[in-house]
Amino acid sequence: MSKRRSTSEAIPERSTRFDLTLAVAFNLGMAMFVAGTSWDLVSPSTSDAFYWWKHALSSLGLVIAGPAWVAGSNLSASVKYLLSAAIVGAILFTGAAAKVEYDVQESLLQPWRVEANRVVHDGLGVSIAALPGWSYNLQPRPLRDSGSSASRSTGLAMGEVAVFLQLTHKPGGSGNAASAIVLEGGPSLLDDQSLVQFALLREQMTAQRPNATILQHVQEGQLDGVPSLTYAYEDPDGRHLQEVIFRCGSCLLTLFTTAASDEDLKQVNEFLQSIRFIDPGTVPVNE
Amino acid sequence: MRAGASAQAVGSGTAPSAVTASAAPSRPRTKSGFIIGPVADSVFIIGAPLVAVLIAGPSYWLPKDMFSTKIQGGTVDLRNAFIISFVAAHLVLVFFRSHGNANIFWTHPIRFTVVPLALLVAAASSRWILACAGVVAVWWDVYHSSLQTFGFGRIYDAKQGNSPDAGRKLDIGINLFLYLGPVLAGAQFARHITNSADSFAFLKTTESPWRDLIFQQAPTFLNGNQRYLTIAVLSLGLPFLCYYLLSYYRLYRQGYHVSWQKVSLLIITGCVSTYFWGFRSFIDAFWVMNFFHAWQYFAIVFFAEGKNLARLFRVDRFPVGPALVMVWVVALTFMYGYWSFIYAHRSWFGSAVVTVSIMHFWYDSFIWSVRRKQV
């Protein structure tokens, strides 16, 4: 009888200590996860020197908390192993995704490269046909230099805007007005509803300019299968202008086109139709 | 004695109404008529609308610049950021009960798994479904909020030992009148119509025949005829209020125990709702009404699920367990709330937010049943 009693006393003690350890581990992991994720939510900029510390903290927290919780549950052993493996796998996957996102963000201000009569930006994931006779400026430049520690040479923080690409064409003599194409934008969280409102507001503001004539109201279209919003107007000099707004990854981009002649307008439309989107994560950066 | 009086009324040949037949208390009266306790109920449930007014009032009198800040490149009013995050936090909180409580989960496993997944996929796949879900969410939110007060009232009635059927339909009616009525009849009706229409913003840039109907004809018709809606609400609602009071007087005469906690809750909620939805700006009304709704919800979840959550978070053995539970739940839900406000705008994330909202409204309609003794 006493032997049975001592045996039954030993097992609960081990179980209790083990459960306590798991409970402490789970809560420590939760604390790390909450701290890291909250920090990242409030300050997610990839320019932040602590970017990887934040991700490491929240990932480590999950790696500890997840399996600790699973181990302390009443699930069968096989389910526990599966769940723990799934948790670790999910964390590794998100880590890899964060690396891709980081590389993409860091490469936004890298110059375009020329490849087979096309200009390609690996950071944006965009490839466009090169127009013959047009001058190109392939070096992106940020429009707002915050001067803070957050701004850096090769990336854009959320809300920052850059001119990614500029093309100009001055047909004939020096007296002719130039045609131009400017690709501008940056990382943005603008949602789909707000994007429509944004485009409609831009059209409204344009319409209020003296002697500007709206030729085409904001319409939904597509660029290589990606939804876009476009409107067109004529300026006092008779030039045909368009604004094409579309998303590219985490960036919101606007193409401002100015065509001084019908020939240039034709080329501008060819330019738009030649836009192709490539997956920025699969293209090597800095090549 | 009250039960006897009820029996006499039946025996005298008077045809018993449904109200009379169920008026007699059918369960024992609890010692305390409060759900959590006198102070907690006063702050977190009964007086919640007043708490919201006390917090919102001063913050909106202060200059706007004090709360303006840059978040992710956009200018944000921190007061708005807080309330939207708080609202989203309370929406996701339902899953701690529906999925975190095994007894609740296994009552409807399909509803808690297949349905949200199906809605998520459908909303992410179709702009029309997402937009329709958005409209449903706007109006179901109003209905659901009015029924939360109804639910608390029924719990208070149960605490008095009253039958779960006594006055049930009356309570549904009065809560709809006190909450939905001011929304329909008041100053913010137009804003609700605009919010509903904005779910279909993608139509503004298309030639769809629905564009004019949704953005022009329907809002013009509804806003132009709101005065008739106001007349209907008042001409139906005020007599109903008199009928409600009379009916409850009859119930009282037949054995019903009045819960003054419920009476206080209805009066405070009704007054605040009528004033803010009826006469104040949208942001004032949205802030106050949603704050107290979420405030009450957090209270009832912590009260009802406290022990279960402590086990879920493995802190039931620690003396600081209850406090730690609150920290984790508030942290996790507010992280979701902030994320949904700032980041979750497109495709799958936006669909997830709408799915969480719709599931919250739906689940709340059957996981807090007084009749099934779930609370």
Side-chain angles (χ1 to χ4, degrees), chain B residues 251-269:
Chain B
L251 284 172
Y252 169 74
R253 296 289 299 268
Q254 287 152 10
Y256 169 83
H257 296 302
V258 175
S259 164
W260 71 262
Q261 290 91 345
K262 172 181 160 184
V263 171
S264 308
L265 175 68
L266 286 176
I267 291 173
I268 292 172
T269 305

Side-chain angles (χ1 to χ4, degrees), chain A residues 158-159 186-192 194 247 250 252, chain B residues 71-72 342-346:
Chain A
M158 191 65 65
S188 170
L189 293 171
L190 210 59
D191 62 273
D192 290 334
S194 302
R247 285 188 210 279
S250 63
L252 184 67
Chain B
I71 297 179
Q72 295 305 302
I342 298 291
Y343 298 98
H345 296 293
R346 297 159 51 192

Side-chain angles (χ1 to χ4, degrees), chain A residues 214-265:
Chain A
I214 300 291
L215 300 174
Q216 177 198 303
H217 295 289
V218 173
Q219 268 185 16
E220 197 178 83
Q222 285 200 342
L223 292 174
D224 192 25
V226 170
S228 64
L229 296 167
T230 306
Y231 78 96
Y233 63 100
E234 194 176 84
D235 71 358
D237 297 326
R239 293 183 301 180
H240 182 279
L241 291 90
Q242 276 185 96
E243 283 189 29
V244 184
I245 304 166
F246 59 98
R247 285 188 210 279
C248 188
S250 63
C251 289
L252 184 67
L253 301 176
T254 306
L255 260 170
F256 298 93
T257 72
T258 307
S261 65
D262 289 341
E263 181 59 34
D264 283 355
L265 180 59

Side-chain angles (χ1 to χ4, degrees), chain A residues 134-154:
Chain A
W134 289 64
S135 308
Y136 278 73
N137 182 349
L138 299 177
Q139 177 59 55
R141 57 180 177 85
L143 277 182
R144 293 179 215 138
D145 183 6
S146 67
S148 70
S149 58
S151 61
R152 60 215 186 277
S153 57
T154 57

